[in-house]
Amino acid sequence: MHTTKEHHTRETRGDGGALSAFSLALWKYRGEKGVLIPLLQAAQEEYSYIPAAAMEKIATVTSIPISEIYGVVTFYKQFRLTPPGKHIIRVCDGTACHVNDSMTVLDSLKNVLSVEAEETTKDGLFTLVTVACLGCCSLAPVMMIDESTYGRLTPTAIEKVIKGYREAEASPAQ
């Protein structure tokens, strides 16, 4: 009979390939206290969110009840329980953006994308999130789509930016 760790090692090395960061983190677990957050971060790094299967693996290896793991995942905003969209839209609501009407930016995006904040569009293309500050105060109000920054936004400018992303997705790769 195999121990859980031996089983896990066989499972993750079965194809002869390298271990993923998440699997490696689980494999290296030696009963240390305070390891839950790093394991969850490794799972999210691998899957882009925390799937139920990852929580079950963590529970099996660490003996932490899955209810406790779920509680930690839902407590911290950094963790997601659903896959994010292809593009992450971050709307700044820092002081400079807030006084320059960042709520109009957020409302325009909600309208254009037909989602609420912290949700992903039905086509899986965009996830809309609010953040405390993007560090681009001179461009307020600001949003970022992935690593691109868009400032001094108006509802018209937002529609144009989103339309550009959608057209790029619809066009065949060149």
Side-chain angles (χ1 to χ4, degrees):
M1 178 157 192
H2 302 291
T3 65
T4 300
K5 192 165 283 182
E6 288 170 335
H7 173 74
H8 179 73
T9 301
R10 289 170 187 261
E11 173 186 288
T12 54
R13 289 185 170 171
D15 65 354
L19 290 172
S20 68
F22 175 56
S23 296
L24 187 59
L26 286 173
W27 188 70
K28 287 181 172 180
Y29 176 72
R30 301 279 186 260
E32 304 92 345
K33 299 276 184 205
V35 73
L36 181 55
I37 298 288
L39 288 174
L40 290 169
Q41 289 170 329
Q44 185 156 291
E45 179 69 24
E46 182 167 327
Y47 301 109
S48 300
Y49 72 107
I50 310 290
M55 287 191 278
E56 290 169 5
K57 283 183 179 179
I58 291 170
T60 299
V61 171
T62 64
S63 298
I64 297 172
I66 199 158
S67 60
E68 186 176 329
I69 294 169
Y70 181 80
V72 170
V73 169
T74 56
F75 179 80
Y76 291 103
K77 192 174 179 179
Q78 70 174 297
F79 297 121
R80 292 183 291 271
L81 288 169
T82 57
K86 182 176 181 180
H87 302 287
I88 306 293
I89 301 175
R90 294 175 182 84
V91 178
C92 182
D93 194 33
T95 303
C97 287
H98 189 79
V99 298
N100 282 291
D101 212 11
S102 62
M103 289 299 102
T104 297
V105 170
L106 183 60
D107 289 341
S108 295
L109 283 164
K110 288 178 182 178
N111 185 44
V112 169
L113 301 171
S114 299
V115 294
E116 294 296 318
E118 316 307 324
E119 291 182 352
T120 299
T121 56
K122 287 182 182 177
D123 61 5
L125 195 54
F126 299 103
T127 295
L128 177 62
V129 297
T130 58
V131 296
C133 186
L134 290 173
C136 307
C137 301
S138 64
L139 300 174
V142 174
M143 73 175 178
M144 288 183 74
I145 300 179
D146 303 326
E147 301 304 318
S148 298
T149 304
Y150 301 89
R152 297 186 180 97
L153 292 168
T154 63
T156 303
I158 290 167
E159 286 181 30
K160 189 174 180 180
V161 169
I162 297 301
K163 183 179 177 185
Y165 274 85
R166 285 191 165 139
E167 287 175 353
E169 289 296 323
S171 300
Q174 297 178 11

